[in-house]
Amino acid sequence: MKHLTYIFFFVLLFFQSCYKEPVFTDFQYETYNRIVGPEGGTINFYGNYENDTKNTILVSMNVPAGALDSMLVFNMYQYEDYELVLQMTDGFAKIGSKFMYFVPFYESEGYNERGQLDLSYHLSINFNEPISVTYHFLADAKELSVENWQEAELYHDNYKLTNQSYQLFRIKIPKLDEWGEYNNIFVNWNRQGYPDGYDRTDLSYIVSGLWSQLNDYGTGTQNLENWELVDNFELNTTDNYVTFNIYSTDYIYVLAQIIYLEPAEVPLKIQSSIEKKYPLLKILRAAFDGESYQVYLSDNSYASYTKNGDFIKLINDRLSYSDLPALALDYINANYPNTQVKKVILTESENSKKYETLLSSGIKLFFDESGYLTGSFQYGFDPSDLPTEALNYLSQNHISEVITNVTFNNEELYNPQYIVYLSSDAKVYFDAGGFWNKTLYYRIKKDQLPEKILSYFSENYPNTAFSGINHTIWPNGSSYAVSLVDSKWFQFDENSDLIGREFLAIDEKDLPPAISTYISTNFSTKHISKISFHSYAYSSELNGPDEGYDIYFDDLLTLAFNPAGELQELYGNNKSHLPNNFRTFMASNYPNDTIAFCSFRIDGSFAYFGYDQVLVRWEMLFSDGGYLGLGENNLFAYRTIYDPSLSDLLSPIASYIQNNYPGLTVYESSKYFSAYYGNQIAYFVVLSDYTSLVFNESGGFIEEIIYKKKNTSKKSIRQQKISKKRLEIINMLKENSSENKY
Amino acid sequence: MKTKVIILLLLFLLPFSIVYGQFLHIGLRTFVTPLQKTSFYQYDINDYVYYFANEYNETIRFSGFETSETQSYIPFPSLYIRYDKGNSLFFEADIFATWTSNEAKYKNSVDFSDYANAFNPDSKLENLGYNSIKLKWAYIGNSLTAGYVFFKTKTIRPYVFGGISAYYLLSLKPGDFYEDTRSVRNEIIFKNLNTFRTVTLYYKGGLGIKYHGLSLGVYLEKNLLAIDKNADNSDDDAPDEIYNSRPNYKSISSINISLSLNLLSFNLLKNQSLK
C-alpha cells in the first residue's frame, strides 16, 4: 500500500510538469484597440481587416495627455461613393481620397443597444488639445476588385492621382439641432445593433451641399458650402499620407483639388466668347481640370473650351423628344414607331449642330441641325444579321468562342463598322461588307507578351505591375499597348519595338534638369499640380519624333517643353505666367495693359486679316478685350480692338468710314504687319455689316474686301486648330450680324 | 495551492492504509462524457469588451460567456486498481486521459455577411471565429473513490460510489479552424482566456451495476475548488485587471458513463491470483 502511495505522488508531480504555457507574440491588445482616455495615447486603425498580421496602419491618432476628459472609443469610417465622386468631379472638386471621419462614444456608456436614441445622433466632442491625425489614404486601396469595380476605378482614376496640388478639406457634420431641430445626421445601425457610420444619404447630401446650414435637407443645389480648407496639413504624396490636427469630432476629411470656378474667375476670353455666342445665357459656374474648361450655363447646357480658350462644343443633354427637328421626329415615327425616346442630346461645335437620340431599344440615332439622319449606333445588334463574310470569318478563326455582343457603328453613314465581342475578351472589327478590319484582344495576360517586351519591362520598370495589355492585329501588322498601374502607357509594334510612351503622372524630380532650371528661374513661386510625358517614335508632322513634357500648375499656368528643356508652348492668364525676360518686355512696352490670357507657341500660329496671314508666337488677350500678337523676337505682329469708337481710330480712317459707310459702326480694328501689302504696317477694319477695309499706316485707304471663307484644306491639322480662334471671331461677326437683323 | 492538493490526496489515500484488505483488482476502464457543462464568470455589458482598431471597428463583447455544453462519445482510456474490503466495500485509484473541446462564445459587432464576405467569400471554411473561439483541452487525471456494493448473494450487484479526481491540464489551445489571417485578433482573445488552472480537483459520485469482474457505472463530476487562476480577482474591479487578470471559468460539471473490466485479481489473504 505504501508503494501505491508513492507511485500516485510521482504520477501527480509528473503530470503537473507536463503543461506548457502557449507561446504568444508580443502583439498586445493595448496596441490594437481604439480606446483612449485623459492620459492620452496612440490609436492606430489598421487597414488590413482581411489579414491582420500585416499591420498596415490606415489612420493614426496621437492623443496628447489632457486632450480628453474621459475614456473615449473612436470608430473610424471611410465613406466612398462612386456616384458622388462623379458628381463632384463634374465641375466642383477632383476627389483624391475617401471621406474619412470619426464617430466617438464614451466607453462608460457603451453603444451597442439599438434604441438608445441619443446615440443615434452625432456626438460632438471638442478636444482640450488638438489631436494629431495621420491618414494613409492609399493603405487599404484595392487595385483590383471583381465584386466592386467602382472601388478599383476610384482608386485608379482618383485616389492614385493625388499629388501635391491637392489640399485637405474638412466638411461640416452638424451638431445636434445645429441646423435646425429634427434636422440632424443619423447614425446607421447594422444588424447586430452596432453603429455603422453615418447614414450614407446624409453624408452624400452634406458633401455635395444639398444639405447645409442654409439649405434644408436635400433642398440645396450642388455647392461647396460645407467645405473648408484645413490649416497646416502636411501632404506627402511619396508615401501617400497626410498629417493634420483635429480639434473636434465635427468634420469629415478628404483630399481634393477644387476645380470649381466662380463665373468671375472664368478667363475673359471665354467670358467674351460666351457673351457673343449665347447672349441670353448666363454663366452659372465653371470648372478647369488642367486640360479644358467646362462652363455651365443658365439653360443647363455646358460649353467646353480648350485651355487656350478656344471653343470646342456646347452640350445640352436635357432636351426632350419634342425639341428634335420635325424631320427627325418624322424619321423616328416612321422607322421606330413603337420605340420610346429616352434621351436627346444637342452638341453644338464650330459651325455644326448634332442631335443624338437614344431609343429605348439601345439604338442611337444622330441627326443634323435640320433633322436629317447623319448616323446611327446600335448596341446589342443581332449577330445573325451580320454580313455573311463576317460570319464566315468568325467561324474560321474563332469557332470555339461565344459572341457576347455586337455593335453596329454607323455614325458617319459612309463608313459603317461592326464590332463583335467574343468571350475570349476580343473585339473583332468588320466593315460594312463584313470584311475583317482588325482584332483587338483587350485583356491579355502578361505571359502572353513577347519575350522582348517582357524584358523591356523587367529591365526598365521592375517594380511596377501591369494594369492592362491590349494586342491589336490587322491584315498588315500588329501592335501591343501596355498600361502599368502607375499611369504609364506603352505601345510596341509587331517587332516588339517601342513606338510610343505616355506617362500621365510623373514626379517633379524626374524632369530633365533643363526644365527644372527653367521653372525655378522663371516660375519659382508656382506649384506644379501635374506633369505628363509623351514620346512617339513615329513622325509628327515634319518634325520627327514627337516627345515632350506637359506641366500643369495649380493656378492654371500650363507649359510644354521638349526633352531638351526648350519651351514649346505656354498658356496662362496673368503677367506672373510670363517668363522673366518676356515679363520685363511686356512691362516696358505695354505697361498699361492687363493680361487676361496669354499663349506662346514656338512653332507659331496664324492670325488672318483679309488676304494676309500673320505668324504669331505670343498672343495675348487683355482685360479690355483687345488682342496683341507678337512674332519672332517679340516683333510686333498685330493688335486688335473690338467695338472701338471712331475716336479710337486714326482720324483719316474714321473720316473715311464716316463718309463712306454712314450709320455703320466698327466691330473690329486691327493694326498689323502686312506681308501682302509690301511688308508695312496696315489697318484691317471690320464694320458692323461685315464689310472689311484695309488702310495703310498713315490711314490711307487701300481696298475693301468682301469676305470669302478661306480654303483651309491645304493647312495642316495643327494649323487648322490654331486658326479656329480666328474663325470664332468671324462666327461672332456672323451672329452679331444675324442678331441685328431682328 | 499545491500544498492543499497534496493534503487532500493524502486524506483520500488514508483508507488504503487503515482498512484490512482482501482482494486487489487491476483493470481497464473506458468512459464517455455525454454532457460536460462549463459555466463562466458574468460581467457587465460594457465591461468585457474588445474594441479592435480595424476597418470595421470590430467590437467583441463577452457579455458574460454563454454557458458551454459539449458532449463527447470518445471512449477515453483509464487504468485502475480496486481494493475490495470484504464483500461490499471497495476502494479504487485510477489514471485516465481525456480530451475535449468547447467554444467560448461572444458577440461580434460586424454583420455576419460582411465578415463572411471578408474571410470566407467561397464558403469553404467551417469555423470563422465570427462569434466564438474554439478551445481544445487535453488532460491526464487520476481519481480516488470508495464504494459500496449491495446484495452480496446476487450475481448482478448494484453499487454506489464517490470520491475525488485531479485533472492535470496538458494542453489548452485555440481550435485550428480559424483563418490564419485573423491570428492577431484571435490571439488577443485567447490570451485572455488562458486562465484555466493546470491542476483542478473535482468530486465525483455515482452508481452502477456489477457482474463478476465487469462494472457499468454512471457518475457526476463537479469541480471542488476554483478552476480559474484569477478566481481570487473575481470581485476586484481595478481597471488594470480588466484584461490581464480577469477570471473566466467558474465551474465545470459533467456526466460520465464508464465500463470497467477487472483484468487481474489478487487474493491478498491467500496471496494467490484468482485468474
Side-chain angles (χ1 to χ4, degrees):
Chain A
M1 211 48 241
K2 197 164 71 177
H3 296 298
L4 265 178
T5 309
Y6 288 141
I7 290 168
F8 198 90
F9 270 108
F10 281 124
V11 168
L12 188 151
L13 292 171
F14 173 74
F15 287 167
Q16 200 166 358
S17 65
C18 287
Y19 178 71
K20 284 184 181 174
E21 285 284 342
V23 179
F24 295 112
T25 61
D26 293 332
F27 209 76
Q28 302 292 325
Y29 176 58
E30 287 72 15
T31 63
Y32 198 57
N33 69 24
R34 55 183 205 275
I35 317 174
V36 67
E39 73 282 2
T42 300
I43 296 177
N44 289 325
F45 288 92
Y46 295 89
N48 43 264
Y49 186 60
E50 289 84 356
N51 186 352
D52 61 10
T53 56
K54 287 184 182 171
N55 299 337
T56 311
I57 293 176
L58 183 59
V59 173
S60 182
M61 300 178 76
N62 193 0
V63 184
L68 305 176
D69 293 326
S70 53
M71 291 281 280
L72 275 184
V73 180
F74 284 91
N75 280 11
M76 186 280 298
Y77 297 94
Q78 293 183 97
Y79 170 58
E80 183 176 54
D81 186 327
Y82 181 75
E83 295 294 334
L84 178 66
V85 170
L86 293 186
Q87 201 178 323
M88 298 307 293
T89 308
D90 188 16
F92 288 92
K94 286 165 80 174
I95 306 298
S97 71
K98 296 176 185 173
F99 295 86
M100 192 272 288
Y101 63 96
F102 299 100
V103 176
F105 62 90
Y106 291 106
E107 194 267 346
S108 57
E109 294 179 4
Y111 70 163
N112 79 318
E113 295 300 305
R114 189 194 294 272
Q116 296 180 38
L117 286 179
D118 55 332
L119 297 181
S120 293
Y121 301 114
H122 166 57
L123 177 60
S124 173
I125 296 173
N126 290 319
F127 309 131
N128 303 325
E129 301 284 337
I131 291 176
S132 172
V133 174
T134 300
Y135 178 27
H136 300 261
F137 53 93
L138 291 186
D140 65 340
K142 304 262 188 316
E143 292 196 17
L144 287 173
S145 176
V146 177
E147 296 82 18
N148 190 350
W149 59 268
Q150 291 100 329
E151 196 177 352
E153 191 169 314
L154 284 175
Y155 168 71
H156 287 287
D157 293 351
N158 291 80
Y159 312 149
K160 203 176 147 193
L161 303 183
T162 299
N163 56 44
Q164 287 299 127
S165 71
Y166 282 58
Q167 294 173 300
L168 184 73
F169 293 88
R170 61 182 198 179
I171 301 165
K172 176 75 177 166
I173 301 172
K175 298 174 188 173
L176 183 64
D177 290 349
E178 187 180 10
W179 288 353
E181 196 178 6
Y182 311 120
N183 213 357
N184 290 301
I185 191 167
F186 276 86
V187 173
N188 255 353
W189 299 89
N190 70 10
R191 296 188 195 95
Q192 309 306 313
Y194 285 78
D196 192 20
Y198 291 119
D199 182 88
R200 292 178 65 82
T201 307
D202 292 359
L203 288 172
S204 172
Y205 281 7
I206 286 176
V207 170
S208 62
L210 300 185
W211 181 29
S212 68
Q213 190 153 24
L214 294 177
N215 299 311
D216 283 344
Y217 186 82
T219 60
T221 53
Q222 195 173 353
N223 61 65
L224 295 172
E225 193 178 316
N226 295 325
W227 289 51
E228 191 180 327
L229 187 63
V230 173
D231 294 331
N232 302 322
F233 66 90
E234 182 199 334
L235 174 61
N236 182 326
T237 49
T238 304
D239 298 322
N240 300 312
Y241 68 80
V242 58
T243 301
F244 54 101
N245 284 335
I246 62 172
Y247 301 85
S248 71
T249 58
D250 295 341
Y251 293 94
I252 303 161
Y253 297 87
V254 65
L255 285 166
Q257 187 184 48
I258 300 295
I259 56 174
Y260 175 82
L261 295 176
E262 292 287 347
E265 295 172 309
V266 176
L268 289 179
K269 183 181 179 185
I270 295 175
Q271 287 190 38
S272 164
S273 168
I274 295 279
E275 204 173 302
K276 303 277 184 195
K277 280 176 173 292
Y278 313 105
L280 299 177
L281 301 181
K282 298 281 179 209
I283 298 176
L284 296 179
R285 61 185 174 91
F288 180 67
D289 63 0
E291 276 296 334
S292 61
Y293 288 92
Q294 302 283 348
V295 185
Y296 298 83
L297 304 174
S298 50
D299 68 343
N300 291 321
S301 62
Y302 61 94
S304 297
Y305 283 81
T306 65
K307 60 190 172 191
N308 191 18
D310 291 333
F311 175 75
I312 303 171
K313 61 188 174 186
L314 176 97
I315 291 178
N316 190 341
D317 57 3
R318 302 197 183 184
L319 298 181
S320 63
Y321 174 65
S322 57
D323 293 322
L324 282 169
L327 276 177
L329 290 174
D330 292 344
Y331 180 87
I332 293 171
N333 290 333
N335 294 282
Y336 303 94
N338 300 317
T339 310
Q340 187 191 354
V341 175
K342 290 180 73 176
K343 193 163 190 174
V344 178
I345 301 171
L346 171 62
T347 304
E348 287 183 57
S349 52
E350 203 68 63
N351 299 325
S352 74
K353 280 186 179 180
K354 185 168 82 170
Y355 289 94
E356 184 176 336
T357 308
L358 175 65
L359 305 181
S360 55
S361 59
I363 296 176
K364 285 184 191 171
L365 300 174
F366 301 95
F367 299 96
D368 67 12
E369 192 174 357
S370 307
Y372 288 106
L373 184 74
T374 59
S376 67
F377 178 88
Q378 184 175 359
Y379 178 87
F381 186 85
D382 188 346
S384 60
D385 290 339
L386 280 169
T388 312
E389 280 289 339
L391 291 171
N392 287 342
Y393 179 88
L394 290 169
S395 63
Q396 286 165 14
N397 295 280
H398 301 279
I399 185 66
S400 61
E401 296 178 44
V402 176
I403 296 175
T404 57
N405 187 27
V406 178
T407 60
F408 178 57
N409 185 350
N410 192 20
E411 284 198 34
E412 306 298 334
L413 283 184
Y414 59 84
N415 185 25
Q417 195 172 40
Y418 297 95
I419 306 173
V420 179
Y421 294 74
L422 299 178
S423 51
S424 62
D425 287 342
K427 291 199 276 189
V428 189
Y429 294 73
F430 298 97
D431 66 15
F435 293 99
W436 177 62
N437 280 344
K438 66 177 179 181
T439 300
L440 168 65
Y441 293 90
Y442 56 93
R443 213 176 291 167
I444 71 169
K445 292 176 181 167
K446 179 184 169 186
D447 54 15
Q448 292 173 274
L449 278 173
E451 190 56 41
K452 188 175 173 184
I453 297 178
L454 285 172
S455 301
Y456 173 82
F457 285 107
S458 60
E459 285 169 18
N460 296 287
Y461 303 95
N463 298 320
T464 187
F466 296 91
S467 62
I469 304 172
N470 293 344
H471 181 37
T472 307
I473 306 170
W474 56 90
N476 300 318
S478 70
S479 71
Y480 286 92
V482 180
S483 302
L484 303 184
V485 292
D486 51 358
S487 301
K488 292 187 173 69
W489 176 87
F490 302 82
Q491 191 173 26
F492 299 85
D493 64 13
E494 61 265 34
N495 300 317
S496 301
D497 290 327
L498 183 66
I499 54 173
R501 286 180 293 160
E502 285 180 9
F503 301 166
L504 295 183
I506 65 172
D507 284 341
E508 203 172 333
K509 62 180 168 47
D510 295 331
L511 280 174
I515 297 179
S516 299
T517 305
Y518 186 95
I519 292 170
S520 61
T521 305
N522 293 285
F523 304 107
S524 58
T525 60
K526 305 220 173 285
H527 202 256
I528 294 175
S529 62
K530 180 184 169 188
I531 303 171
S532 66
F533 168 76
H534 65 271
S535 171
Y536 305 110
Y538 43 81
S539 173
S540 158
E541 297 183 12
L542 303 173
N543 301 321
D546 181 5
E547 193 165 287
Y549 294 83
D550 291 327
I551 301 172
Y552 303 89
F553 293 81
D554 55 8
D555 67 344
L556 309 186
L557 170 64
T558 304
L559 306 176
F561 291 91
N562 65 13
E566 294 162 340
L567 183 69
Q568 303 295 297
E569 294 179 30
L570 178 151
Y571 304 98
N573 58 12
N574 62 61
K575 67 179 180 184
S576 77
H577 290 164
L578 303 176
N580 290 342
N581 55 354
F582 190 66
R583 201 179 306 162
T584 309
F585 172 84
M586 288 300 293
S588 57
N589 290 281
Y590 302 92
N592 301 321
D593 292 310
T594 305
I595 294 172
F597 177 80
C598 58
S599 69
F600 168 78
R601 296 185 188 93
I602 198 163
D603 54 354
S605 60
F606 287 103
Y608 296 91
F609 304 98
Y611 302 123
D612 265 312
Q613 60 177 25
V614 178
L615 182 72
V616 291
R617 289 237 163 90
W618 279 101
E619 203 162 25
M620 263 145 292
L621 169 66
F622 296 121
S623 55
D624 63 0
Y627 279 89
L628 171 69
L630 301 173
E632 284 189 59
N633 301 318
N634 299 339
L635 290 175
F636 174 81
Y638 79 91
R639 175 131 194 184
T640 299
I641 52 175
Y642 289 97
D643 300 324
S645 62
L646 289 176
S647 61
D648 293 331
L649 306 176
L650 288 179
S651 56
I653 296 176
S655 303
Y656 184 87
I657 292 171
Q658 265 183 326
N659 294 334
N660 294 284
Y661 303 93
L664 292 182
T665 56
V666 178
Y667 173 70
E668 171 191 333
S669 172
S670 301
K671 178 183 178 183
Y672 74 104
F673 186 81
S674 168
Y676 184 81
Y677 298 107
N679 291 331
Q680 60 164 327
I681 294 292
Y683 287 91
F684 180 75
V685 179
V686 181
L687 304 181
S688 53
D689 73 342
Y690 198 36
T691 302
S692 300
L693 306 170
V694 184
F695 300 89
N696 64 22
E697 187 173 11
S698 53
F701 175 73
I702 298 179
E703 66 174 317
E704 177 184 321
I705 299 174
I706 303 301
Y707 171 74
K708 288 179 182 174
K709 191 173 181 181
K710 277 188 172 295
N711 180 0
T712 56
S713 60
K714 289 182 181 175
K715 288 181 195 166
S716 69
I717 293 172
R718 183 174 182 79
Q719 285 168 332
Q720 288 180 42
K721 189 178 167 188
I722 292 167
S723 68
K724 263 182 166 181
K725 191 161 70 72
R726 302 305 306 164
L727 284 173
E728 182 187 333
I729 295 168
I730 292 164
N731 282 332
M732 285 180 199
L733 285 171
K734 279 182 181 174
E735 285 170 14
N736 201 34
S737 165
S738 62
E739 281 158 15
N740 288 342
K741 287 178 186 172
Y742 300 98
Chain B
M1 191 59 219
K2 285 181 181 175
T3 316
K4 282 184 187 174
V5 174
I6 292 167
I7 292 170
L8 279 166
L9 287 173
L10 280 174
L11 285 172
F12 277 83
L13 285 170
L14 204 57
F16 287 87
S17 58
I18 57 173
V19 296
Y20 193 67
Q22 197 167 12
F23 290 102
L24 185 69
H25 307 283
I26 296 175
L28 280 179
R29 173 182 298 141
T30 184
F31 63 98
V32 295
T33 308
L35 177 65
Q36 186 189 60
K37 186 174 174 181
T38 309
S39 69
F40 300 88
Y41 283 94
Q42 301 296 301
Y43 293 97
D44 286 344
I45 192 165
N46 293 323
D47 197 1
Y48 198 166
V49 188
Y50 294 94
Y51 296 107
F52 291 124
N54 53 38
E55 286 171 288
Y56 283 71
N57 301 299
E58 188 177 19
T59 302
I60 298 298
R61 185 185 297 280
F62 285 103
S63 54
F65 288 75
E66 295 180 18
T67 299
S68 165
E69 289 186 353
T70 58
Q71 53 187 18
S72 171
Y73 292 101
I74 299 170
F76 298 120
S78 172
L79 179 67
Y80 66 87
I81 299 173
R82 181 185 288 177
Y83 180 78
D84 285 345
K85 167 68 176 138
N87 282 324
S88 298
L89 195 61
F90 69 87
F91 300 95
E92 187 181 283
D94 69 357
I95 299 174
F96 56 86
T98 180
W99 54 92
T100 184
S101 68
N102 64 354
E103 284 186 337
K105 293 188 176 178
Y106 45 79
K107 287 174 182 162
N108 191 328
S109 69
V110 180
D111 274 342
F112 181 72
S113 55
D114 293 336
Y115 191 94
N117 194 42
F119 298 108
N120 194 23
D122 303 325
S123 302
K124 287 178 181 169
L125 301 171
E126 288 182 40
N127 191 335
L128 297 170
Y130 171 70
N131 58 0
S132 65
I133 186 165
K134 191 162 188 165
L135 304 174
K136 293 172 72 178
W137 311 76
Y139 305 93
I140 283 184
N142 61 345
S143 68
L144 297 170
T145 52
Y148 186 84
V149 189
F150 301 98
F151 310 130
K152 60 185 175 184
T153 57
K154 304 287 186 186
T155 310
I156 296 177
R157 301 177 63 190
Y159 64 95
V160 293
F161 62 97
I164 189 168
S165 303
Y167 278 63
Y168 310 98
L169 184 62
L170 291 183
S171 160
L172 169 60
K173 54 186 181 181
D176 49 7
F177 294 145
Y178 301 101
E179 274 282 86
D180 291 341
T181 56
R182 297 250 67 193
S183 58
V184 170
R185 185 202 76 152
N186 290 343
E187 187 174 297
I188 287 171
I189 295 174
F190 176 70
K191 197 185 295 181
N192 293 307
L193 289 175
N194 186 36
T195 59
F196 200 82
R197 290 187 174 183
T198 49
V199 178
T200 46
L201 294 176
Y202 302 80
Y203 63 82
K204 61 194 283 189
L207 48 87
I209 50 173
K210 180 184 171 196
Y211 176 72
H212 297 295
L214 193 65
S215 306
L216 178 67
V218 178
Y219 61 94
L220 175 74
E221 214 168 33
K222 190 167 177 18
N223 61 300
L224 184 60
L225 298 171
I227 56 175
D228 196 291
K229 290 174 188 171
N230 302 324
D232 295 341
N233 299 332
S234 61
D235 297 328
D236 191 344
D237 290 333
D240 60 342
E241 290 179 350
I242 287 178
Y243 293 99
N244 297 327
S245 306
R246 181 197 299 276
N248 293 296
Y249 308 98
K250 197 166 191 179
S251 70
I252 293 182
S253 52
S254 62
I255 294 172
N256 305 279
I257 299 171
S258 66
L259 184 65
S260 312
L261 178 66
N262 295 341
L263 294 178
L264 292 170
S265 296
F266 302 94
N267 188 332
L268 298 181
L269 293 180
K270 294 180 180 175
N271 202 21
Q272 64 180 46
S273 173
L274 295 175
K275 292 182 181 176

